[in-house]
Amino acid sequence: MPDEAEWTALITRYYDGCSAGDVDAMLATLHRDVVHWFLAPNTGSTAVAGAEHLARYWRKVTRMLQARWVVDGICATREQAVIEWTMFWLPEGAAARVATRGAEWFTAEDGLIREIRSYYQLRPETTELNGFPYAERGYSVPGAERSLVHPGAEDHGPGGR
């Protein structure tokens, strides 16, 4: 199973693929039997199963929302990884991008992402911890859709720069 550096590389490659809507890039990171679980009551909170289905799902979401994901923090063991992330996106009818902050729990099998459990609430306005010093801690912020953990995030996908 991956160590923390391998987890970081695997998950950032996955999110770069999501942000670019690149099905092949995502497939290179996903176990064929991957399952992605979502927190209800978000729109589309039904689990998505299978690598091809999940990759095509994110391609559709990216195009609809002009989304970019940034990995802001990671804590990992060989068996699992937990990340904090930010999705920058453009709500329908909005003039400016917003930031949705969330966390996900990953497991791996055969060096690929096997399960994702996602914790966030999608709202048409920025959602984040009240008063948390995101910029000072190296997290992504509006106008800088990258982090210390994921410095190349702005090289993938729509919006931002």
Side-chain angles (χ1 to χ4, degrees), residues 7 10 27-32 107-114:
W7 270 117
L10 178 64
L27 289 174
T29 66
L30 298 170
H31 188 277
R32 71 180 178 280
T107 64
E109 186 176 323
D110 301 326
L112 298 169
I113 297 167
R114 178 63 174 86

Side-chain angles (χ1 to χ4, degrees), residues 12-99:
T12 57
R13 281 194 339 265
Y14 166 70
Y15 277 119
D16 289 345
C18 291
S19 296
D22 185 333
V23 169
D24 291 333
M26 286 180 271
L27 289 174
T29 66
L30 298 170
H31 188 277
R32 71 180 178 280
D33 297 322
V34 66
V35 178
H36 192 306
W37 302 93
F38 295 92
L39 187 66
N42 284 324
T43 300
S45 60
T46 301
V48 177
E52 186 78 27
H53 187 197
L54 184 59
R56 292 183 186 284
Y57 172 87
W58 287 127
R59 180 177 64 187
K60 179 181 176 183
V61 169
T62 296
R63 289 176 178 168
M64 286 177 14
L65 302 180
Q66 298 181 38
R68 174 181 291 119
W69 288 266
V70 181
V71 179
D72 288 312
I74 186 166
C75 184
T77 67
R78 291 202 173 275
E79 293 78 29
Q80 55 199 355
V82 178
I83 67 164
E84 289 181 292
W85 56 262
T86 304
M87 179 182 70
F88 293 94
W89 62 290
L90 188 63
E92 186 176 333
R97 292 167 69 72
V98 300

Side-chain angles (χ1 to χ4, degrees), residues 119-137:
Y119 302 92
Y120 69 95
Q121 287 290 304
L122 191 63
R123 302 274 191 264
E125 62 274 340
T126 291
T127 58
E128 60 187 11
L129 299 172
N130 191 23
F132 186 80
Y134 288 102
E136 293 84 358
R137 300 261 184 109

